[in-house]
Amino acid sequence: MAEPSRAMSRRHATVALCCLAFVGAMVGAAYAAVPLYNLFCKVTGYAGTTRQALAAPGRVLDRSFEVRFDSNLNGAMPWKFTPETTSVTVRAGEVKTVYYRVTNNSPEEMRGVASYNVTPMETGAFFSKIACFCFSEQVLKPGETLELPVVFFVDPAIAEQKALDDIRTITLSYTFFPAKQPATPVAAATPKPDKPQL
């Protein structure tokens, strides 16, 4: 009678270990999902994610696009955030620089971080930025204004995508969110004075 009960215990232990391993794998996958998704979007341009470029593509086509610039603030941000121009015309492969202006209208120093996307989403894989302020923390003192550059181009490879032949307008949109404020350091404790000697 002891043998079947020992075999049953072994089976239960095996099932329990398999369940623990499965739960561990799911927790690990949950933590890895966001960075892996971000990497996937950056590589493929999925969901309007633009690409990072180190240099201009080296050729310019006759095909032109109107690139529009959009600026948004999370509701909790007492900042003013606007592009210097609402749109520019750019040829595929031509490098352009535009500026966004951000002003802190609050009476306190604030930190903010901007996220972005490109529409139509299919153009994200062909919209490349050489320089951008996105995902870099911006620290503004009360009343301070910053000029934030964006250096970009539309990859000439877009001409090889027949499905995108009708696209003439691309919108680059930024949204500023409050960044986590640094913790205020705890003041060092003042040592008690020595008691006077009696």
Side-chain angles (χ1 to χ4, degrees), residues 68-85:
R68 295 177 180 167
F69 304 100
D70 180 42
S71 59
N72 304 282
L73 289 167
N74 175 275
M77 293 287 287
W79 288 11
K80 182 179 181 184
F81 178 45
T82 55
E84 67 167 357
T85 183

Side-chain angles (χ1 to χ4, degrees), residues 9 23 61 140 148 156 176 181 190 195:
S9 293
V23 168
L61 306 181
L140 276 76
L148 305 171
F176 253 110
Q181 304 300 313
T190 307
K195 287 185 179 177

Side-chain angles (χ1 to χ4, degrees), residues 72 74 77 79 111-116 133-139 174-180:
N72 304 282
N74 175 275
M77 293 287 287
W79 288 11
R111 297 164 184 266
V113 175
S115 65
Y116 67 89
F133 58 89
C134 46
F135 302 120
S136 298
E137 188 174 80
Q138 307 297 327
V139 182
Y174 286 95
T175 301
F176 253 110
F177 294 88
K180 188 174 182 182

Side-chain angles (χ1 to χ4, degrees), residues 88-171:
V88 294
T89 299
V90 60
R91 291 184 294 162
E94 179 185 7
V95 176
K96 283 276 189 180
T97 302
V98 297
Y99 289 86
Y100 278 76
R101 177 177 288 193
V102 61
T103 303
N104 179 4
N105 290 326
S106 81
E108 300 174 347
E109 178 177 282
M110 283 192 70
R111 297 164 184 266
V113 175
S115 65
Y116 67 89
N117 74 325
V118 170
T119 53
M121 288 192 298
E122 300 84 359
T123 62
F126 303 97
F127 195 96
S128 298
K129 291 190 281 187
I130 297 172
C132 175
F133 58 89
C134 46
F135 302 120
S136 298
E137 188 174 80
Q138 307 297 327
V139 182
L140 276 76
K141 294 184 173 73
E144 184 179 7
T145 296
L146 290 180
E147 299 275 336
L148 305 171
V150 181
V151 183
F152 70 93
F153 62 87
V154 178
D155 194 319
I158 197 171
E160 297 160 19
Q161 302 297 315
K162 295 301 176 194
L164 304 181
D165 280 353
D166 292 337
I167 291 177
R168 296 283 176 265
T169 303
I170 299 172
T171 301

